[in-house]
Amino acid sequence: MLQQFLDSLIADGVFGGLPRDIVYLIGMAAAGALVVFGFVLNVAGVTTFVERRVWARIQSRVGPNRVGPQGILQWLADGIKLLMKEEVIPFAADARLFKLAPFIVTIGFIAAFVAMPFSSVLIVADLNLGILYITAMTSLVVVGIMVAGWASNNKWSLIGGIRAAAQIVSYEIPAALSIFTVILVTGTLSMQGIIQQQGWGPWDWFIFHSPFTFVGFFITFISLLAEGNRTPFDLPEAESELVAGFVTEYSGARYLFFFLVEWGNLYVISAILVTLFLGGWQAPPIPVISDSAVGRNVLEFLTFFLKSYFGVVLMMWIRATLPRTRVDQLMTTCWKYLLPIAFFNFMGTALWVLVFPEGFRFAEILLTAVGFGLLGYFAYRVAFHLRRSGAQITLSPLS
Amino acid sequence: MSVAGFEVEVDRGSGLETEEMTLNMGPQHPSTHGVLRFVVKADGEVMRRAVPDIGYLHRSIEKISEKVGYHGFMPYTDRVDYVAAMFCNQGWGMVTEKLAGIEVPKRGEYCRVIAAELNRISSHLLAVGTMILDIGAITPFFHAFREREKINDLLEELCGARLTYNYMRVGGVAWDLPPGYEEKVLAFLNQLEPMLDEHYDLVSENTLFRGRAASVATISAETAISYNLVGPNLRASGVRYDVRRDEPYSVYPELEFDVPVGTGMAGEVGDSFDRYYLRVQEIRESVKILRQCFQQIPDGPVVAKVPRKLKPPAGDAQIRVESARGDMSWYAVSDGSEFPYRCKVRTGSFAAMSIIEEISQGLMLADLVTVIASLDIVAPEVDR
């Protein structure tokens, strides 16, 4: 995609006599900068603000509302504050590794965006092993976390780092097995290829493709939550147990990088789930807009972004609701429950694809109905609780 | 060795020895409420020992009483346990009254009970909220603190302070209930009960929370008694002992309330979940007591006539108050002068602190914060 675009520019003579490789390099750097500064950093930043406001709403608080209208610029203020702060490197720390660790984490996070689709044409590189590449790159985060935990020369950091390693390595397996269920259906690893085989309607999404992918969606979700160190699996930085886990000794800009990755990862997790199971950027055709290429892409981008952001908010909600598991419970969940179920799913999907190579329409529609039924019941329960407690809250007995 | 359901074999001497790690938890650790310190010997995530180190908050409060006199000591008692200061007020008031033979007017006693039970609710809300926070959930903590804030407002209207109340006096209380106080408290109680229901759905029924708290750090009734646990920690182990019922003081004999005990509803009797849930149940009992108090409160003075320069006859007295953290015992010796000769407080947190070394063996590291929180240890009360 990018290559074709650059080729056409070279043919037009825009770059004069520059060698082709250098043009490609410039193009890649420009696209990378556009994605990183135009999207990744903003999404990660705004997510911190949204998370704080969502939590505040759930916890009967106000939340940040001072910087900019409704506090929308709070994340910029926080970022600038952290960048300008003095950075303390502990005397006994391994200074070189200590400085390096946040960048390994950040590379692992940003590199995942190379193969991340935004719409049918907006993708930096549609690698033919896209999902495998993303899984590999996000695993790089754990290396950085371990290095951070080790180099800090602090026992709490070390425990955090070791916990992160054990947790992420364990949960890679059910996550990968569940991702394979989709790949068995599609026969391709390319992110765009996976999305193109789905449709805009929920019944064409892979989550409702078969009972196995339906279960696989939830296993992937849980595993990716654990890989992203999110509650209820936020053990590596469990603040009530490990002070702050692997970030205990960090301050200033390097601390900022860790948190950028943590909140940016929410989007990555959601985007992977949306791509694999929830139809990706497949937007319903709207007569006038879908006719032009630009209009169609904007529509697809919005569809993908809204679906992903729904997942992000869901993860915030989970974090605001659930307590943390213990490290042995975490491992039990993974090895005793998720892994066997994921393996069973994997085999089941293989059988399903063998029996119904073209998909089974009745099952898809039935599963869609079941899925939306569950969603409806969930909404009903939420409404019930809101009605029951909402009327009772008075902010002060004196007023 | 069995650790949380897993058989762990630590094979020593085969070249795969794991070194025991000494962790210093506190004094500046987010989940040591106040200033506590534990020296933890851990084998990876499994604790071998957790030795509490106390004394960081020692302020010689008992010694101060010998210099400031009976009336003057009242504000200092707030600082013994600043989360539940009313009980310390009440304890000092009662021990002085016993020394000097002062009778508190009926309305004064009711005012004391109303203030104390409101304080008990706020203290238990704090205990429950911080326990959940230590286990990792954030929202229930804020919900608990929202309710606690309302109690702070109510107590502020009653005595002008939100934390260190200095409400009670030797011989009664400082101020009568403000006008319209009954309606405000009852309005608060009416909306507290649905909030407790919501809290039950959100926390007590939560599988993850039960997994973290149930069958963790179980204290049997025998251990609890031998370590002199008091209050909710003792009752959670199944011992039905409450000073308000078994050694009644103030107007508690005129009030009807249950003394809940731990039932092991999520795991074993006396586990962390029982200690947590018992406090939730006690909030409901306090609500019951408060409603009765407002029905029965008589008119009249709230404070007895007590000389400005109080000189109790020589002798000693000892009383017990059921504080939010259990049986709080006050002992004072008078030599006939206007200053106490000696004063001694025995608090529930101190006993709870001493049992941690026993029950923490073999638990996971993450369980230590659960144990500290479930025992509801307030550091200033340990050291005084």
Coordinates of all heavy atoms in Angstrom, one line a residue, chain B residues 18-88:
Chain B
T18 N 17.0 -22.4 47.1 CA 16.6 -21.0 46.9 C 16.9 -20.2 48.2 O 16.6 -20.7 49.3 CB 15.1 -21.0 46.6 OG1 14.4 -21.7 47.7 CG2 14.7 -21.6 45.3
E19 N 17.4 -19.1 48.0 CA 17.8 -18.2 49.1 C 16.6 -17.6 49.7 O 15.7 -17.1 48.9 CB 18.8 -17.2 48.6 CG 19.8 -16.7 49.6 CD 20.8 -15.8 49.0 OE1 21.3 -16.1 48.0 OE2 21.0 -14.7 49.6
E20 N 16.6 -17.5 51.0 CA 15.5 -16.8 51.6 C 15.7 -15.3 51.5 O 16.8 -14.8 51.7 CB 15.4 -17.2 53.1 CG 14.0 -17.1 53.7 CD 14.0 -17.8 55.1 OE1 14.6 -17.2 56.0 OE2 13.4 -18.8 55.2
M21 N 14.6 -14.6 51.1 CA 14.7 -13.2 50.9 C 14.1 -12.5 52.1 O 13.0 -12.8 52.5 CB 14.0 -12.8 49.6 CG 14.1 -11.4 49.2 SD 13.7 -11.1 47.5 CE 12.1 -11.7 47.4
T22 N 14.9 -11.5 52.6 CA 14.3 -10.7 53.6 C 13.8 -9.4 53.0 O 14.5 -8.6 52.4 CB 15.4 -10.3 54.6 OG1 16.0 -11.5 55.0 CG2 14.8 -9.6 55.9
L23 N 12.5 -9.2 53.2 CA 11.8 -8.0 52.6 C 11.5 -7.1 53.8 O 11.0 -7.5 54.8 CB 10.5 -8.4 51.9 CG 10.7 -8.9 50.5 CD1 9.4 -9.6 50.1 CD2 10.9 -7.7 49.6
N24 N 11.7 -5.8 53.5 CA 11.3 -4.8 54.5 C 10.0 -4.2 54.0 O 10.0 -3.4 53.1 CB 12.4 -3.8 54.6 CG 12.1 -2.7 55.6 OD1 11.4 -3.0 56.6 ND2 12.5 -1.5 55.3
M25 N 8.9 -4.5 54.7 CA 7.6 -3.9 54.3 C 7.3 -2.8 55.3 O 7.0 -3.0 56.4 CB 6.6 -5.0 54.4 CG 5.2 -4.6 53.9 SD 4.2 -6.1 53.8 CE 2.7 -5.4 53.4
G26 N 7.3 -1.6 54.8 CA 7.1 -0.5 55.6 C 8.3 0.1 56.1 O 9.4 -0.3 55.8
P27 N 8.3 1.2 56.9 CA 7.1 1.9 57.4 C 6.4 2.6 56.3 O 5.2 3.0 56.5 CB 7.7 2.9 58.4 CG 9.1 2.6 58.6 CD 9.5 1.7 57.5
Q28 N 7.0 2.9 55.1 CA 6.3 3.6 54.1 C 5.9 2.7 53.0 O 6.4 2.6 51.9 CB 7.2 4.7 53.5 CG 7.6 5.8 54.4 CD 8.9 5.6 55.0 OE1 9.6 4.5 54.8 NE2 9.4 6.5 55.8
H29 N 4.9 1.9 53.3 CA 4.3 1.0 52.4 C 2.8 1.3 52.2 O 2.2 1.6 53.2 CB 4.5 -0.5 52.8 CG 4.1 -1.5 51.8 ND1 2.8 -1.9 51.6 CD2 4.8 -2.2 51.0 CE1 2.8 -2.8 50.7 NE2 4.0 -3.0 50.3
P30 N 2.3 1.3 51.0 CA 0.9 1.8 50.8 C -0.1 1.1 51.6 O -1.2 1.7 51.9 CB 0.7 1.7 49.3 CG 1.9 1.1 48.7 CD 3.0 1.0 49.7
S31 N 0.1 -0.2 52.0 CA -1.0 -0.9 52.6 C -0.7 -1.2 54.1 O -1.4 -2.0 54.7 CB -1.3 -2.2 51.9 OG -0.2 -3.0 51.9
T32 N 0.3 -0.5 54.7 CA 0.4 -0.6 56.1 C -0.3 0.6 56.7 O 0.2 1.7 56.7 CB 1.9 -0.6 56.6 OG1 2.5 0.5 55.9 CG2 2.6 -1.9 56.1
H33 N -1.5 0.4 57.2 CA -2.3 1.5 57.6 C -1.7 2.3 58.7 O -1.5 1.7 59.8 CB -3.7 1.0 58.0 CG -4.3 0.1 57.0 ND1 -5.4 -0.7 57.3 CD2 -4.1 -0.1 55.7 CE1 -5.7 -1.3 56.2 NE2 -4.9 -1.0 55.2
G34 N -1.3 3.5 58.5 CA -0.5 4.2 59.4 C 0.9 3.9 59.2 O 1.3 3.7 58.1
V35 N 1.7 3.8 60.3 CA 3.1 3.5 60.1 C 3.4 2.2 60.8 O 3.6 2.1 62.0 CB 3.9 4.7 60.7 CG1 5.4 4.5 60.3 CG2 3.4 6.0 60.3
L36 N 3.4 1.2 60.0 CA 3.8 -0.2 60.5 C 5.0 -0.6 59.8 O 5.3 -0.2 58.7 CB 2.6 -1.2 60.3 CG 1.3 -1.0 60.9 CD1 0.4 -2.1 60.4 CD2 1.4 -1.1 62.4
R37 N 5.7 -1.6 60.3 CA 6.8 -2.2 59.6 C 6.8 -3.7 59.9 O 6.6 -4.1 61.0 CB 8.1 -1.6 60.1 CG 9.3 -2.2 59.4 CD 10.5 -1.3 59.6 NE 11.7 -2.1 59.1 CZ 12.6 -2.6 59.9 NH1 12.4 -2.6 61.2 NH2 13.6 -3.3 59.4
F38 N 7.0 -4.4 58.8 CA 7.1 -5.9 58.9 C 8.4 -6.3 58.3 O 8.8 -5.8 57.2 CB 5.9 -6.6 58.1 CG 4.6 -6.4 58.8 CD1 3.8 -5.3 58.5 CD2 4.2 -7.4 59.7 CE1 2.6 -5.2 59.1 CE2 3.0 -7.2 60.3 CZ 2.2 -6.1 60.0
V39 N 9.1 -7.2 59.0 CA 10.2 -7.8 58.4 C 9.8 -9.2 57.9 O 9.4 -10.0 58.7 CB 11.4 -7.9 59.4 CG1 12.6 -8.6 58.8 CG2 11.7 -6.6 59.9
V40 N 9.8 -9.3 56.6 CA 9.2 -10.5 56.0 C 10.3 -11.4 55.5 O 11.2 -10.9 54.7 CB 8.2 -10.1 54.8 CG1 7.7 -11.4 54.2 CG2 7.2 -9.2 55.3
K41 N 10.3 -12.6 55.9 CA 11.2 -13.6 55.3 C 10.4 -14.4 54.3 O 9.5 -15.1 54.7 CB 11.7 -14.6 56.4 CG 12.4 -13.8 57.6 CD 13.9 -14.0 57.4 CE 14.6 -13.4 58.7 NZ 15.8 -12.7 58.4
A42 N 10.8 -14.3 53.1 CA 10.0 -14.9 52.0 C 10.9 -15.8 51.2 O 12.1 -15.6 50.9 CB 9.4 -13.8 51.1
D43 N 10.3 -16.9 50.7 CA 10.9 -17.8 49.8 C 10.1 -17.6 48.5 O 9.0 -18.2 48.3 CB 10.8 -19.2 50.3 CG 11.4 -20.2 49.3 OD1 12.0 -19.7 48.4 OD2 11.2 -21.4 49.5
G44 N 10.6 -16.7 47.6 CA 9.8 -16.3 46.5 C 8.5 -15.6 46.9 O 8.6 -14.6 47.6
E45 N 7.4 -16.1 46.5 CA 6.1 -15.5 46.9 C 5.6 -16.0 48.2 O 4.6 -15.5 48.7 CB 5.1 -15.7 45.8 CG 5.3 -15.0 44.5 CD 4.7 -13.6 44.5 OE1 3.9 -13.3 45.5 OE2 5.0 -12.9 43.6
V46 N 6.2 -17.0 48.8 CA 5.7 -17.6 50.0 C 6.4 -17.1 51.2 O 7.6 -17.0 51.3 CB 5.9 -19.2 49.9 CG1 5.2 -19.8 51.2 CG2 5.2 -19.7 48.7
M47 N 5.6 -16.6 52.2 CA 6.2 -16.1 53.4 C 6.6 -17.2 54.4 O 5.8 -18.1 54.6 CB 5.2 -15.1 54.1 CG 5.2 -13.8 53.5 SD 4.2 -12.7 54.6 CE 2.6 -13.5 54.6
R48 N 7.8 -17.1 54.9 CA 8.1 -17.9 56.0 C 7.7 -17.3 57.3 O 7.1 -17.9 58.2 CB 9.6 -18.1 56.0 CG 10.2 -18.9 54.9 CD 10.6 -20.3 55.3 NE 11.1 -21.0 54.2 CZ 10.3 -21.7 53.3 NH1 9.0 -21.7 53.5 NH2 10.8 -22.3 52.3
R49 N 8.0 -16.0 57.4 CA 7.7 -15.3 58.7 C 7.4 -13.9 58.3 O 8.0 -13.3 57.4 CB 8.9 -15.4 59.7 CG 9.0 -16.6 60.4 CD 10.3 -16.5 61.3 NE 10.0 -15.9 62.6 CZ 10.9 -15.3 63.3 NH1 12.2 -15.3 62.9 NH2 10.7 -14.8 64.5
A50 N 6.6 -13.3 59.1 CA 6.4 -11.8 59.0 C 6.4 -11.3 60.4 O 5.5 -11.5 61.2 CB 5.1 -11.5 58.3
V51 N 7.5 -10.6 60.7 CA 7.6 -10.1 62.1 C 7.3 -8.7 62.2 O 7.9 -7.8 61.5 CB 9.1 -10.3 62.6 CG1 9.2 -10.0 64.0 CG2 9.5 -11.8 62.3
P52 N 6.2 -8.3 62.9 CA 5.9 -6.9 63.1 C 6.9 -6.2 63.9 O 7.4 -6.7 64.9 CB 4.5 -6.9 63.7 CG 4.3 -8.3 64.2 CD 5.3 -9.2 63.7
D53 N 7.1 -4.9 63.5 CA 8.0 -4.1 64.2 C 7.2 -2.8 64.6 O 6.8 -2.0 63.7 CB 9.2 -3.7 63.3 CG 10.2 -2.8 64.0 OD1 10.0 -2.6 65.3 OD2 11.1 -2.2 63.4
I54 N 6.9 -2.7 65.9 CA 6.0 -1.6 66.3 C 6.8 -0.5 67.0 O 8.0 -0.6 67.3 CB 4.9 -2.1 67.2 CG1 5.4 -2.7 68.5 CG2 4.0 -3.1 66.5 CD1 4.4 -3.0 69.5
G55 N 6.1 0.6 67.2 CA 6.7 1.7 68.0 C 6.9 3.0 67.2 O 7.4 4.0 67.7
Y56 N 6.6 2.9 65.9 CA 6.8 4.1 65.1 C 5.9 5.3 65.4 O 6.1 6.4 65.1 CB 6.7 3.8 63.6 CG 7.8 3.0 63.0 CD1 7.8 1.6 63.0 CD2 9.0 3.7 62.6 CE1 8.9 0.9 62.6 CE2 10.0 2.9 62.1 CZ 10.0 1.6 62.1 OH 11.0 0.9 61.6
L57 N 4.8 4.9 66.0 CA 3.8 6.0 66.3 C 3.6 6.2 67.8 O 2.6 6.6 68.3 CB 2.5 5.6 65.7 CG 2.3 6.1 64.3 CD1 1.1 5.5 63.7 CD2 2.1 7.6 64.3
H58 N 4.7 5.9 68.6 CA 4.5 6.0 70.0 C 4.6 7.5 70.4 O 5.6 8.2 70.0 CB 5.6 5.2 70.7 CG 5.5 5.3 72.2 ND1 4.5 4.8 72.9 CD2 6.3 5.9 73.1 CE1 4.6 5.1 74.2 NE2 5.7 5.8 74.4
R59 N 3.6 8.0 71.1 CA 3.6 9.4 71.4 C 3.4 9.6 73.0 O 3.1 10.7 73.4 CB 2.4 10.1 70.7 CG 2.6 10.1 69.2 CD 1.3 10.0 68.5 NE 0.7 8.7 68.8 CZ -0.6 8.4 68.6 NH1 -1.4 9.3 68.1 NH2 -1.1 7.2 68.9
S60 N 3.6 8.6 73.7 CA 3.5 8.7 75.2 C 2.2 9.2 75.7 O 2.2 10.1 76.6 CB 4.7 9.5 75.8 OG 5.9 9.1 75.3
I61 N 1.1 8.8 75.0 CA -0.1 9.4 75.4 C -0.5 9.2 76.9 O -1.0 10.0 77.6 CB -1.2 8.9 74.4 CG1 -1.1 9.6 73.1 CG2 -2.6 9.1 75.0 CD1 -2.1 9.2 72.1
E62 N -0.2 7.9 77.3 CA -0.5 7.6 78.7 C 0.3 8.5 79.7 O -0.2 8.9 80.7 CB -0.3 6.1 79.0 CG -1.3 5.3 78.2 CD -0.7 4.0 77.7 OE1 0.6 3.9 77.6 OE2 -1.4 3.0 77.5
K63 N 1.5 8.8 79.4 CA 2.3 9.6 80.2 C 1.8 11.0 80.3 O 1.8 11.7 81.3 CB 3.8 9.6 79.7 CG 4.8 10.3 80.5 CD 5.1 9.6 81.8 CE 6.0 10.5 82.7 NZ 6.1 9.9 84.1
I64 N 1.3 11.5 79.1 CA 0.8 12.9 79.1 C -0.3 13.1 80.1 O -0.4 14.1 80.7 CB 0.3 13.2 77.6 CG1 1.5 13.3 76.7 CG2 -0.5 14.5 77.6 CD1 1.1 13.4 75.2
S65 N -1.1 12.0 80.3 CA -2.2 12.2 81.3 C -1.8 12.6 82.6 O -2.5 13.3 83.4 CB -3.0 10.8 81.4 OG -2.3 9.9 82.2
E66 N -0.5 12.2 83.0 CA 0.0 12.6 84.3 C 0.3 14.0 84.4 O 0.7 14.5 85.5 CB 1.2 11.7 84.6 CG 0.9 10.2 84.7 CD 2.1 9.3 84.6 OE1 3.2 9.8 85.0 OE2 2.0 8.2 84.2
K67 N 0.3 14.7 83.3 CA 0.7 16.1 83.4 C -0.4 17.1 83.1 O -0.3 18.3 83.3 CB 1.8 16.4 82.3 CG 3.1 15.6 82.5 CD 3.9 16.1 83.6 CE 4.9 15.1 84.1 NZ 5.5 15.4 85.3
V68 N -1.5 16.6 82.5 CA -2.5 17.5 82.1 C -3.8 17.4 82.9 O -4.7 18.2 82.7 CB -2.9 17.4 80.6 CG1 -1.7 17.7 79.8 CG2 -3.3 16.0 80.3
G69 N -4.0 16.5 83.8 CA -5.2 16.5 84.6 C -6.3 15.7 83.9 O -6.2 15.4 82.7
Y70 N -7.4 15.5 84.6 CA -8.5 14.7 84.1 C -9.2 15.3 83.0 O -9.5 14.7 82.0 CB -9.4 14.3 85.3 CG -8.8 13.4 86.3 CD1 -8.1 13.9 87.4 CD2 -8.8 12.0 86.1 CE1 -7.5 13.1 88.3 CE2 -8.2 11.2 87.0 CZ -7.6 11.7 88.1 OH -6.9 10.9 89.0
H71 N -9.6 16.6 83.1 CA -10.3 17.2 82.0 C -9.4 17.5 80.8 O -9.8 17.3 79.7 CB -10.9 18.6 82.5 CG -11.9 18.5 83.5 ND1 -13.1 17.8 83.2 CD2 -12.1 18.9 84.8 CE1 -13.9 17.8 84.3 NE2 -13.3 18.5 85.3
G72 N -8.2 17.9 81.1 CA -7.3 18.2 80.1 C -6.8 17.1 79.2 O -6.4 17.3 78.1
F73 N -7.0 15.9 79.7 CA -6.5 14.7 78.9 C -7.5 14.3 77.8 O -7.1 13.6 76.9 CB -6.3 13.5 79.9 CG -5.6 12.3 79.2 CD1 -4.5 12.5 78.5 CD2 -6.2 11.1 79.4 CE1 -3.9 11.4 77.9 CE2 -5.6 10.0 78.8 CZ -4.4 10.1 78.0
M74 N -8.7 14.8 78.0 CA -9.8 14.3 77.0 C -9.4 14.5 75.5 O -9.5 13.6 74.7 CB -11.1 15.0 77.3 CG -12.3 14.4 76.6 SD -12.5 12.7 76.9 CE -13.5 12.8 78.4
P75 N -8.9 15.7 75.1 CA -8.5 15.8 73.7 C -7.4 14.9 73.3 O -7.3 14.5 72.1 CB -8.0 17.3 73.6 CG -8.5 18.0 74.8 CD -8.6 17.0 75.8
Y76 N -6.5 14.5 74.2 CA -5.4 13.6 73.9 C -5.9 12.2 73.6 O -5.3 11.5 72.8 CB -4.4 13.5 75.0 CG -3.5 14.8 75.1 CD1 -3.9 15.8 76.0 CD2 -2.4 15.0 74.3 CE1 -3.1 16.9 76.1 CE2 -1.7 16.1 74.4 CZ -2.0 17.1 75.3 OH -1.3 18.2 75.4
T77 N -7.0 11.8 74.2 CA -7.5 10.5 74.0 C -8.0 10.3 72.6 O -8.0 9.2 72.1 CB -8.7 10.2 75.0 OG1 -9.7 11.1 74.7 CG2 -8.3 10.2 76.4
D78 N -8.4 11.4 71.9 CA -8.8 11.3 70.5 C -7.7 10.6 69.7 O -7.9 9.9 68.7 CB -9.0 12.7 69.9 CG -10.3 13.3 70.4 OD1 -11.2 12.5 70.8 OD2 -10.4 14.5 70.5
R79 N -6.4 10.9 70.1 CA -5.3 10.5 69.3 C -4.9 9.0 69.6 O -4.0 8.5 68.9 CB -4.1 11.4 69.5 CG -4.1 12.7 68.7 CD -5.0 13.7 69.3 NE -5.0 14.9 68.5 CZ -5.9 15.9 68.7 NH1 -6.9 15.8 69.6 NH2 -5.9 17.0 68.0
V80 N -5.5 8.4 70.5 CA -5.2 7.0 70.8 C -5.6 6.2 69.6 O -4.8 5.4 69.0 CB -5.9 6.5 72.0 CG1 -5.7 5.0 72.2 CG2 -5.3 7.2 73.3
D81 N -6.8 6.4 69.1 CA -7.3 5.7 67.9 C -8.0 6.7 67.1 O -9.2 6.9 67.3 CB -8.2 4.5 68.3 CG -8.8 3.9 67.1 OD1 -8.5 4.3 66.0 OD2 -9.6 2.9 67.3
Y82 N -7.4 7.4 66.2 CA -8.0 8.5 65.5 C -9.1 8.1 64.6 O -9.9 8.9 64.0 CB -7.0 9.5 64.9 CG -6.0 8.9 64.0 CD1 -6.3 8.1 62.9 CD2 -4.6 9.0 64.3 CE1 -5.3 7.5 62.1 CE2 -3.6 8.5 63.5 CZ -4.0 7.7 62.4 OH -3.0 7.2 61.7
V83 N -9.2 6.8 64.3 CA -10.3 6.4 63.4 C -11.6 6.2 64.2 O -12.7 6.4 63.6 CB -9.9 5.0 62.7 CG1 -11.0 4.6 61.8 CG2 -8.6 5.2 61.9
A84 N -11.5 5.9 65.4 CA -12.7 5.7 66.3 C -12.4 6.5 67.6 O -12.3 5.9 68.6 CB -13.0 4.3 66.5
A85 N -12.4 7.8 67.5 CA -12.0 8.6 68.7 C -13.0 8.6 69.8 O -12.7 8.8 70.9 CB -11.6 10.0 68.2
M86 N -14.3 8.4 69.4 CA -15.4 8.5 70.3 C -15.2 7.5 71.5 O -15.5 7.8 72.6 CB -16.7 8.3 69.7 CG -17.2 9.5 68.9 SD -17.6 10.9 69.9 CE -18.1 12.1 68.6
F87 N -14.8 6.3 71.1 CA -14.7 5.3 72.1 C -13.6 5.6 73.1 O -13.7 5.3 74.3 CB -14.4 3.9 71.5 CG -15.4 3.6 70.5 CD1 -15.3 3.7 69.1 CD2 -16.6 3.1 70.9 CE1 -16.2 3.4 68.2 CE2 -17.6 2.7 70.0 CZ -17.4 2.9 68.7
C88 N -12.5 6.3 72.7 CA -11.4 6.6 73.6 C -11.9 7.7 74.5 O -11.6 7.7 75.7 CB -10.2 7.1 72.8 SG -9.7 6.0 71.5

